[in-house]
Amino acid sequence: MNSQALGKADMAQSPSPFASPQDASASGTPAGVLVVEDERIVALDIVARIKRLGYAVTGVATSGEAALEACRDNTPSLVLMDIFLEGGMDGIEAARRIREDHDIPVVYITSHDDQLTLRRAAKTAPYGYVIKPVDERWLQSAIEVALYKHATEIDLRRSEERFRRLFERMLNAFVLFEVVRDGRDEVADLRILEVNPAFERLTGFPRGDVEGRRLREVIPGVEPFWIETLGQVAVTRISTRFENYLADLNQYFLVEAYSPSSGQVAAIMEDVTDLRRGEQLLRHRTFHDPLTDLPNRALCLDRLHRAIERAKRRLNYVYALIFLDLDRFKLINDSMGHVAGDKVLCRVAAILKKHVRRLDTVARVGGDEFAVLLEEIASPGDALRVARKIRDSLKEAMTVEGQKIYLSAGMGIVLGPADYERPEELLQNATIAMNHARRSGAGRIKVFDWVMREVAEHDMGVETGLRRSLEDKQFLLYYQPIYSLDDRTLVGFEALVRRRRPDGGIDLPGEFIHIAEETGLIIPLGNMVMAEACAALGQWSKDMPASTKFSISVNLSGKQFSQPDLVKQTVKSLRETGADPTRLRLEITESVLMDNPESALAKLRGLREMGVKIGIDDFGTGYSSLSYLQRFPIDCLKVDRGFVSDMDDHGNRVIVKTVVNLAHSLGLEVVAEGIETPRQEALLKEFGCDFGQGFLFSRPLPHAKASAFLRSPSA
């Protein structure tokens, strides 16, 4: 074979030091070469040249069969193979077997250039050719190139194996696509070329069912976003990262896409469904009430903020907020338990949702408080109609745990749009309107106006002043004398609380008692009144004979009477002041007794056992039940000043006379309050009323004047 023919076949190259003789051995020993040549002289020459180049010769074989045996016994790094060998196996067949069985690179040695032989030899993918007679430089170049190429192939195969194992074992799905273009040469779809096992696990699609098919065929409902985004990466070869939802799979995927070659895009897909569902659940729990699943206060404020902003942009946008608070819901919890109370709240939530549209918002903003935001209403009258429907539905009996329950609620309505900047202010005004509704009675509805806000701000100022007055001890007692109507002798005082203002003036109870009741300040205030009254009683009783009929009356509020330690506090005040319990009269209203009759009976009996007397204040304005007069340990009835002041009316005279006769028939004493004229005194005396008090006899007196009055001859 001449060099011109081999040059045309690109079988020889100029020498290039690709690898040293030691590069093929990890231990640093020279690479071993097996020489397969059936001509002895040629073989010896080649062996000598190989050794001079620094390589080791592992053996010399003269036939294909011997070459295979030599590779099995002492594996060389390279085989120099003569193409034409004697025997049944030529060099080409031996080279093929060596490559397949041992993966050893083979370089052919030949002097022939017939094309048929060369084409047959090329099919075995030789690593090079050396021409006979052998040129040492060409021999060195051929060996170095073959060893370097083989080492590179081994590294590449190992790398491919590592990446294949990674590809097969990776947790995230991997998909290789190629773009499918339409007639306008635009990306119309993606063809799936290859997927990994993780793709099968995450999507449920077997590899054989998706490879080679178009994405729209595999996932018919895939959004155009997927085709457009992945197609753009394949065309521009600019990597991207995105997250999207596949509705057909009901899964969220985080995708990293890159283009390994033009027209192709590889997508690594991480299933983030559990993460997103967890976030959605957390977000839902953050902004929804866990009991009723309604929006909570935070979400309600957000919806209100949006309504306020929308009203600023649109002149024809009208909305309304209804704030609702259930009446006497605490009684349900106390009597039936919190489980039943929770069921009631869920039923109320269902009722509210029934009366609103999908665009409206029903929220639970407190224990038994709900807010209803009505959007896009035609007129303010729509809000009132919805509120009345809610009220009517609540009135209908609902059965909870086998018991029928009738509900009512106070509702406050704020009509928008208005100049609101903060949703909290809108909710505050609705609450103010609701409080006004509740003061008017159960199941009432009030529309907010700014006068209510002024009243609320005034009440807030009063509350702040009450707290400061308690801290600074600015409350004091006045004492109104109580006389026997039979002979106009003094029989006691009624203790009445007053508040000293910073300017030195005096506030009457009507200016602060209702605020004290609402805020709970009536408890410390009531304790102070009890202590002061007992102290005055103890002081005044020292100078009186034991036989003197004298007592001090103290009013108890509903909240004060409901305190579990009422009897204990009363005992404490009496002991600390040394007051005589038989000279103390505690006055309560009829409604207080009927709120919790069993508890009231136990407390009254405890007080009576100490000797304290019990009076019913404002008799005739509450329940006026004859049964409780017999049941409870009562000593005295006090006729309300409303009846006394209007005794010119025949009906009121009959009522007063009936009350006096009723009390006497039950062995009770009667006190009339608010006596301002001699005629009123005369009529009461005629009816047989026992005692009386009012401006006709004396106005309430401060402690010093009351003490002086007791020492006066008129007393």
Side-chain angles (χ1 to χ4, degrees):
M1 186 175 187
N2 59 44
S3 61
Q4 183 179 5
L6 292 174
K8 289 180 181 179
D10 199 21
M11 293 184 293
Q13 301 178 26
S14 59
S16 177
F18 286 99
S20 66
Q22 287 77 22
D23 285 345
S25 174
S27 62
T29 58
V33 180
L34 172 65
V35 179
V36 184
E37 172 62 57
D38 57 358
E39 295 184 17
R40 179 176 176 76
I41 294 175
V42 175
L44 291 175
D45 178 64
I46 293 174
V47 168
R49 292 178 185 275
I50 290 173
K51 289 182 178 179
R52 280 199 300 271
L53 292 174
Y55 295 99
V57 178
T58 61
V60 177
T62 58
S63 65
E65 292 84 356
L68 289 175
E69 186 176 351
C71 287
R72 284 194 302 269
D73 295 341
N74 187 12
T75 304
S77 301
L78 177 75
V79 176
L80 289 174
M81 178 75 70
D82 186 11
I83 290 180
F84 294 102
L85 297 172
E86 294 182 355
M89 183 183 298
D90 66 357
I92 294 175
E93 177 62 20
R96 184 186 67 80
R97 294 279 299 275
I98 289 171
R99 285 297 308 275
E100 290 178 355
D101 295 346
H102 304 288
D103 189 26
I104 299 173
V106 176
V107 175
Y108 285 123
I109 306 171
T110 184
S111 59
H112 300 276
D113 62 352
D114 63 286
Q115 295 299 314
L116 181 62
T117 300
L118 292 179
R119 283 196 295 271
R120 182 166 167 259
K123 291 181 180 180
T124 64
Y127 280 71
Y129 296 86
V130 175
I131 308 164
K132 294 179 182 179
V134 175
D135 180 86
E136 191 167 312
R137 288 184 303 164
W138 281 58
L139 177 63
Q140 180 183 11
S141 176
I143 293 174
E144 289 177 354
V145 169
L147 291 174
Y148 180 81
K149 180 180 178 182
H150 186 248
T152 302
E153 287 178 348
I154 291 174
D155 289 342
L156 181 60
R157 282 198 302 270
R158 288 174 180 171
S159 177
E160 288 177 347
E161 289 174 2
R162 287 196 301 270
F163 280 107
R164 173 55 62 179
R165 287 194 299 269
L166 177 63
F167 176 75
E168 296 292 334
R169 297 175 182 177
M170 65 189 297
L171 298 177
N172 293 335
F174 178 90
V175 191
L176 180 63
F177 300 97
E178 69 174 0
V179 298
V180 178
R181 298 181 181 272
D182 57 16
R184 295 175 297 177
D185 200 33
E186 295 180 354
V187 177
D189 205 343
L190 298 169
R191 179 175 287 106
I192 300 173
L193 299 180
E194 188 176 10
V195 299
N196 67 346
F199 176 88
E200 295 180 285
R201 290 194 306 271
L202 294 182
T203 65
F205 294 128
R207 179 181 296 185
D209 292 350
V210 299
E211 290 182 343
R213 297 177 62 193
R214 294 188 179 190
L215 182 59
R216 293 188 190 275
E217 294 174 354
V218 177
I219 306 177
V222 64
E223 294 181 11
F225 170 82
W226 286 80
I227 308 294
E228 295 168 1
T229 304
L230 294 175
Q232 185 74 8
V233 173
V235 172
T236 64
R237 307 202 67 185
I238 300 175
S239 301
T240 189
R241 175 188 174 99
F242 65 89
E243 182 177 321
N244 206 274
Y245 176 71
L246 274 177
D248 287 30
L249 303 179
N250 193 25
Q251 289 174 283
Y252 290 88
F253 288 101
L254 177 63
V255 181
E256 292 196 33
Y258 66 94
S259 177
S261 63
S262 180
Q264 292 186 348
V265 55
I268 300 172
M269 303 168 59
E270 179 184 358
D271 184 4
V272 294
T273 304
D274 290 341
L275 177 62
R276 294 296 167 260
R277 296 263 164 79
E279 290 176 349
Q280 290 174 357
L281 180 61
L282 179 61
R283 190 179 303 112
H284 185 84
R285 289 179 175 175
T286 302
F287 294 105
H288 285 77
D289 171 50
L291 176 63
T292 62
D293 202 40
L294 294 176
N296 61 11
R297 184 183 184 88
L299 185 53
C300 177
L301 290 174
D302 179 71
R303 301 273 174 87
L304 289 175
H305 175 74
R306 295 183 185 185
I308 292 171
E309 293 302 314
R310 201 172 292 122
K312 293 178 181 178
R313 296 191 301 268
R314 292 172 48 192
L315 295 177
N316 62 341
Y317 176 75
V318 181
Y319 66 90
L321 177 65
I322 303 173
F323 191 89
L324 177 150
D325 190 3
L326 298 178
D327 296 323
R328 295 168 62 82
F329 178 73
K330 184 177 182 298
L331 182 61
I332 296 175
N333 275 337
D334 292 344
S335 61
M336 300 179 62
H338 287 275
V339 174
D342 290 347
K343 291 180 180 178
V344 170
L345 292 174
C346 292
R347 297 280 289 277
V348 171
I351 290 172
L352 295 179
K353 289 193 291 185
K354 183 179 70 174
H355 291 292
V356 300
R357 302 156 298 171
R358 291 180 61 87
L359 61 91
D360 301 324
T361 299
V362 177
R364 184 185 178 204
V365 295
D368 59 343
E369 297 173 340
F370 297 85
V372 180
L373 174 61
L374 304 174
E375 301 195 57
E376 301 283 1
I377 58 177
S379 67
D382 291 346
L384 284 170
R385 281 188 286 274
V386 171
R388 291 187 182 112
K389 288 180 180 179
I390 292 172
R391 180 181 61 186
D392 294 342
S393 295
L394 291 176
K395 285 181 179 179
E396 297 175 4
M398 66 172 65
T399 303
V400 177
E401 296 188 350
Q403 294 190 39
K404 283 191 174 182
I405 296 176
Y406 298 87
L407 295 177
S408 64
M411 282 181 267
I413 303 176
V414 175
L415 302 173
D419 295 331
Y420 288 106
E421 295 293 334
R422 298 183 303 109
E424 293 84 358
E425 185 179 9
L426 186 62
L427 192 61
Q428 176 189 359
N429 288 347
T431 306
I432 291 172
M434 181 275 298
N435 287 330
H436 276 260
R438 296 193 69 179
R439 289 174 188 170
S440 301
R444 302 298 295 274
I445 301 172
K446 290 287 185 180
V447 178
F448 174 80
D449 63 55
W450 289 100
V451 174
M452 294 180 181
R453 179 67 173 268
E454 294 172 2
V455 172
E457 291 173 352
H458 171 266
D459 290 348
M460 175 61 73
V462 172
E463 179 185 348
T464 303
L466 284 177
R467 296 185 184 277
R468 189 181 303 115
S469 296
L470 279 169
E471 292 172 0
D472 298 342
K473 302 186 185 310
Q474 294 302 307
F475 286 99
L476 63 158
L477 295 188
Y478 273 51
Y479 300 90
Q480 185 169 37
I482 301 175
Y483 286 89
S484 169
L485 294 182
D486 185 42
D487 55 8
R488 270 221 183 189
T489 56
L490 181 67
V491 295
F493 288 114
E494 180 179 7
L496 302 170
V497 68
R498 301 288 189 266
R499 184 177 69 156
R500 184 183 294 108
R501 295 197 302 265
D503 61 5
I506 298 296
D507 283 337
L508 298 177
E511 299 178 40
F512 58 82
I513 283 295
H514 68 286
I515 303 297
E517 287 272 7
E518 292 176 4
T519 59
L521 292 175
I522 195 70
I523 303 302
L525 179 58
N527 291 338
M528 184 277 295
V529 170
M530 178 71 75
E532 291 288 332
C534 288
L537 179 60
Q539 176 188 345
W540 292 332
S541 297
K542 292 178 182 178
D543 301 327
M544 294 181 185
S547 60
T548 302
K549 187 172 184 179
F550 180 83
S551 64
I552 287 185
S553 300
V554 177
N555 292 288
L556 294 181
S557 70
K559 287 191 175 181
Q560 191 177 5
F561 187 77
S562 66
Q563 295 302 299
D565 61 346
L566 171 66
V567 177
K568 183 178 178 181
Q569 285 291 338
T570 305
V571 171
K572 179 182 177 183
S573 297
L574 290 169
R575 285 180 177 174
E576 289 179 351
T577 59
D580 182 359
T582 62
R583 294 182 182 269
L584 177 65
R585 174 177 289 163
L586 300 182
E587 296 183 354
I588 53 179
T589 61
E590 300 166 88
S591 58
V592 169
L593 291 177
M594 301 309 296
D595 279 343
N596 192 339
E598 297 303 324
S599 175
L601 180 59
K603 291 174 183 176
L604 293 181
R605 284 176 176 171
L607 293 170
R608 280 294 300 273
E609 288 175 1
M610 293 189 298
V612 176
K613 293 182 172 55
I614 306 298
I616 301 299
D617 197 12
D618 301 333
F619 184 78
T621 60
Y623 287 90
S624 300
S625 171
L626 296 179
S627 62
Y628 84 76
L629 291 179
Q630 293 180 311
R631 183 181 181 190
F632 294 115
I634 298 170
D635 301 284
C636 174
L637 300 182
K638 179 173 280 190
V639 182
D640 183 67
R641 67 176 62 247
F643 297 121
V644 174
S645 62
D646 198 20
M647 282 197 298
D648 289 338
D649 179 76
H650 174 73
N652 280 339
R653 287 200 303 273
V654 172
I655 290 174
V656 172
K657 185 175 182 180
T658 302
V659 169
V660 173
N661 292 334
L662 172 64
H664 287 166
S665 65
L666 294 173
L668 306 178
E669 296 177 332
V670 183
V671 179
E673 61 179 349
I675 304 174
E676 297 182 357
T677 66
R679 172 170 170 73
Q680 293 169 357
E681 179 188 11
L683 286 173
L684 290 168
K685 189 173 181 179
E686 177 185 333
F687 297 155
C689 182
D690 301 295
F691 309 107
Q693 63 185 95
F695 289 173
L696 176 64
F697 306 113
S698 173
R699 290 180 176 273
L701 306 170
H703 183 273
K705 289 187 177 181
S707 298
F709 185 79
L710 273 175
R711 293 191 296 268
S712 67
S714 60

